[in-house]
Amino acid sequence: MTKFATLRIDGATRAVRLDGDAHVDLGCTDLGAYLAGSPADEKAGTTYPVEGADFAPVVTYPSKIICVGHNYKNHIQEMGRELPPYPTLFPKFAETLIGAYDDILKPEETDRLDWEVELAVVIGKQVRRASETEAAAAIAGFTVMNDVSVRDWQFRTIEWTQGKIWEGTTPVGPYVVTPDEVGGVRPALNVSTTVDGVVMQSDDTGTLLFDPVFLVEYISTIIALKPGDIIATGTPAGVGHARDPQVYLVEGETVVTAIDGLGFCRNRVVK
């Protein structure tokens, strides 16, 4: 299985490939630089142990992170909305991203912090106005994202961004797995969220309303997608905000967002 990651090592970050019980240095500072074709440096080929690895976000500073809302039918229904004819898009920024096992920093301004497991697409080559074939070829792989949402700020207005871009709240990783290892560019993978061991979300990416290839086509029509860019494809039913009564993350809880074949993010909520 081909898996890539970005590790924190000696105060810096390094792009690596998983090779058995070791991570092999790819000669670049992060996976985004590797995908963009940056020349390998003198650390290429250095190995690091898998045990105790400190995972950074898979791409530390993507040029853009585009998220998709309302993309699982059951989640759309639980939020009381109609199926959209086009993808609902909003941005995130690099400062929101944290590693797969880092703590989630709960903003002091909210008590409505919510979980959202998402299949995330990592772009491997630049595309603009991509055809279906070009869009498929531009997908370097998939990873796990928890699109943590600050619900009270999200719904202050009809535009969601302010509830989606809080610094240090969005785990992504641990690995980027190539499409050939998970059934292709339109994978059908089980996704789940647990909070302190209690299952909150469980679904299958095969039920996405807009699949990864279509999203690359659609978004690249608007703006060029570059190596290392991330597309978060949306979350299934089971978010805390839609429950009755509503449930939100609190300090001290551990939230695990997992996708079969890709791994999981395990994060403790801290002040």
Side-chain angles (χ1 to χ4, degrees):
M1 177 172 288
T2 308
K3 292 185 175 182
F4 301 97
T6 298
L7 303 184
R8 301 184 185 104
I9 297 171
D10 297 331
T13 58
R14 303 298 302 174
V16 299
R17 182 186 72 252
L18 180 63
D19 187 1
D21 60 355
H23 289 126
V24 179
D25 198 303
L26 296 171
C28 294
T29 54
D30 85 324
L31 191 56
Y34 175 75
L35 293 171
S38 296
D41 60 28
E42 70 281 357
K43 293 185 179 180
T46 304
T47 59
Y48 314 103
V50 172
E51 185 175 358
D54 184 5
F55 289 92
V58 288
V59 180
T60 54
Y61 285 95
S63 76
K64 64 188 71 68
I65 306 159
I66 304 294
C67 302
V68 184
H70 299 158
N71 204 19
Y72 285 84
K73 293 179 181 179
N74 55 6
H75 177 54
I76 298 168
Q77 292 166 348
E78 76 172 351
M79 299 298 276
R81 301 179 186 272
E82 296 181 356
L83 297 183
Y86 304 105
T88 300
L89 305 179
F90 59 90
K92 276 186 180 282
F93 305 109
E95 290 83 358
T96 67
L97 300 181
I98 60 176
Y101 307 139
D102 292 347
D103 292 339
I104 294 171
L105 305 179
K106 180 181 178 296
E108 62 184 47
E109 295 83 0
T110 187
D111 288 316
R112 296 188 178 183
L113 195 68
D114 206 351
W115 55 82
E116 293 191 2
V117 62
E118 306 210 8
L119 174 74
V121 179
V122 179
I123 299 299
K125 62 177 66 174
Q126 181 162 326
V127 285
R128 180 77 202 280
R129 295 188 174 94
S131 66
E132 180 178 359
T133 299
E134 291 167 338
I139 296 174
F142 300 100
T143 192
V144 183
M145 178 183 284
N146 186 354
D147 178 24
V148 172
S149 300
V150 181
R151 295 298 190 190
D152 45 349
W153 286 69
Q154 177 183 349
F155 295 117
R156 282 184 170 189
T157 70
I158 60 172
E159 209 287 318
W160 298 344
T161 302
Q162 61 190 335
K164 296 287 191 173
I165 58 171
W166 287 77
E167 189 163 336
T169 59
T170 303
V172 59
Y175 292 101
V176 174
V177 181
T178 52
D180 59 295
E181 301 291 349
V182 291
V185 291
R186 295 182 175 92
L189 306 172
N190 292 326
V191 301
S192 66
T193 299
T194 62
V195 178
D196 281 354
V198 178
V199 176
M200 297 296 186
Q201 291 180 285
S202 182
D203 210 318
D204 186 317
T205 62
T207 68
L208 285 169
L209 190 60
F210 304 108
D211 67 49
V213 176
F214 178 83
L215 291 173
V216 174
E217 287 184 74
Y218 188 84
I219 295 168
S220 73
T221 301
I222 303 167
I223 191 169
L225 291 170
K226 300 179 180 180
D229 285 352
I230 297 172
I231 300 172
T233 61
T235 200
V239 299
H241 187 76
R243 292 174 176 267
D244 186 14
Q246 293 174 328
V247 182
Y248 300 103
L249 294 168
V250 299
E251 293 170 19
E253 289 182 327
T254 297
V255 56
V256 178
T257 47
I259 302 180
D260 285 358
L262 303 182
F264 60 85
C265 296
R266 179 191 289 124
N267 311 94
R268 189 167 182 265
V269 182
V270 302
K271 185 174 180 180

